[in-house]
Amino acid sequence: MNDLQIDYFMAVATNSSFTKTSEELFVSQPAISKQIALLERELGVKLFIRNNRRTELTEAGKRYFDFFSRYKAEMGNIKHEVSELDGITAQTITIGILERTLHTQYEPGFIVAREKSPLELLIENKELD
């Protein structure tokens, strides 16, 4: 289980739709479905009831949604608390881009983000194994 799977789960649960979540996150629906399937396999439960009109949480899904909501809030709190201990004010943003996609099409968005906050931007081209 990883934070990406949790984020996808939370977004699908909030949107009640894999398609809407895909559009919102600019990620293909099969990629989201795969991560949800991996999360369900690891947890050993079905998280969603899927039908043609909407996607709903199962009872287990509702409990995991509540748990992951608390987890995300607490993780944000502890990161903030620890950064204050060390006097750290910088934020790190990690962005994954498919290897066949030119990073130049994303640079305008990076520039806007940099203008709104003190952001260090480092672009590396790494091949996936």
Side-chain angles (χ1 to χ4, degrees), residues 102-113:
L102 296 175
H103 70 270
T104 54
Q105 74 186 91
Y106 296 100
E107 285 180 348
F110 298 155
I111 292 167
V112 169

